[in-house]
Amino acid sequence: MSFSPLIRQLIDGLRGLPGVGPKTAQRMALHLLERDRKAARHLASVLTGAMDGVGYCQRCRMLSETEVCSICSDPRRDDSLLCILQSPADVWAVEQAGGFFGRYFVLKGNLSPIDGQGPEEIGIPALLANLEGRDVVEVILATNPTVEGEATAHYIAGLLRPRGIRVSRLAHGIPLGGELEFVDGGTLAHALAGRTLING
Ligand SMILES: [Zn+2]
C-alpha cells in the first residue's frame, strides 16, 4: 500500500530539508499527523510567517525583517571595518563568537564558474555599491577556506586593492576545507583577531 497523495506530499516536502532522508521524512510526517497536530499547525503558521516576513537587508544582504538590519542600523558599530562572508549562517557564527564590532556584507555563496556562479550571481556589484561613499579602511575576507572560497577571496582582494582598502583574511585555526558556521566560537574569535593582510 502506498501513501495517499497528501501524505506523500508532506513526506516529499520534509525530504527537502537538509539532513532528512526518506525514512526520517516518513517518520516526521506520521508523527505530525498522528501525535502532534497542534504543533504541526503551529509549524505551518510560523513557516508561512517567516517566508512572508523575512527578506534581505538592503545594505549587507543579511536575512532581515526590516529594510535595513539591526547591525547596519546600529550606530555603535565600526563603519571602517567590513567583514565579507558567504552566508547569513556565517554572520551569526561570527556574532556569537563575539569580538567583532565592524559591519558585514553577505555574498551569495562562492565564485564557481562551472555552476554558473559568476561575480554578478554572488553579489559583487552589490558589494561595490555598498562600499560607495563609505570610509572603509579594512575588509576582512571570511569566505570558507575551500578552493572556491579562496578563489572568491582573491578575486575580491583584486577589486579592492586599487581602491586603497586594506584586505585581510581569517587566520589560523579554521580547518582547511571547513565551513565557518561549524567552527566553534573561540576558534573563530581567535581567527578574526589574528587575521593576516593579503596585500601590502
Ligand atoms: Zn544589514
Side-chain angles (χ1 to χ4, degrees):
M1 185 195 135
S2 56
F3 293 109
S4 59
L6 288 173
I7 299 178
R8 183 78 261 162
Q9 275 179 36
L10 177 58
I11 294 171
D12 289 347
L14 291 164
R15 267 189 74 180
L17 297 171
V20 178
K23 281 278 169 218
T24 307
Q26 195 174 306
R27 210 165 59 232
M28 285 173 164
L30 296 180
H31 172 84
L32 292 171
L33 284 166
E34 276 207 299
R35 294 172 193 269
D36 216 345
R37 290 207 178 201
K38 199 173 160 212
R41 285 186 201 283
H42 176 68
L43 177 61
S45 121
V46 294
L47 262 176
T48 307
M51 294 311 120
D52 292 344
V54 180
Y56 292 94
C57 171
Q58 280 180 352
R59 287 193 201 156
C60 71
R61 312 215 317 168
M62 176 62 175
L63 288 172
S64 175
E65 293 175 38
T66 45
E67 279 193 3
V68 176
C69 76
S70 59
I71 295 174
C72 284
S73 52
D74 185 346
R76 291 164 300 178
R77 307 286 300 209
D78 184 351
D79 231 0
S80 70
L81 205 53
L82 183 74
C83 183
I84 300 180
L85 308 113
Q86 60 185 66
S87 79
D90 292 344
V91 174
W92 277 305
V94 172
E95 281 296 291
Q96 276 157 18
F100 180 75
F101 302 103
R103 302 203 188 266
Y104 297 101
F105 185 84
V106 185
L107 297 170
K108 221 172 172 61
N110 281 310
L111 284 177
S112 180
I114 294 173
D115 308 311
Q117 285 269 98
E120 189 99 7
E121 283 73 27
I122 69 166
I124 298 297
L127 167 65
L128 297 178
N130 176 295
L131 289 168
E132 223 43 67
R134 284 179 52 187
D135 215 1
V136 174
V137 174
E138 181 183 349
V139 162
I140 303 164
L141 293 168
T143 52
N144 289 332
T146 55
V147 175
E148 292 84 8
E150 293 295 343
T152 306
H154 273 270
Y155 177 81
I156 296 172
L159 290 178
L160 300 184
R161 263 186 212 117
R163 295 168 177 248
I165 296 172
R166 211 159 64 204
V167 184
S168 59
R169 187 94 177 93
L170 285 192
H172 353 274
I174 307 287
L176 267 154
E179 290 186 27
L180 231 54
E181 66 171 297
F182 301 117
V183 175
D184 74 275
T187 305
L188 198 47
H190 188 73
L192 260 166
R195 62 187 181 269
T196 47
L197 285 182
I198 58 173
N199 63 335

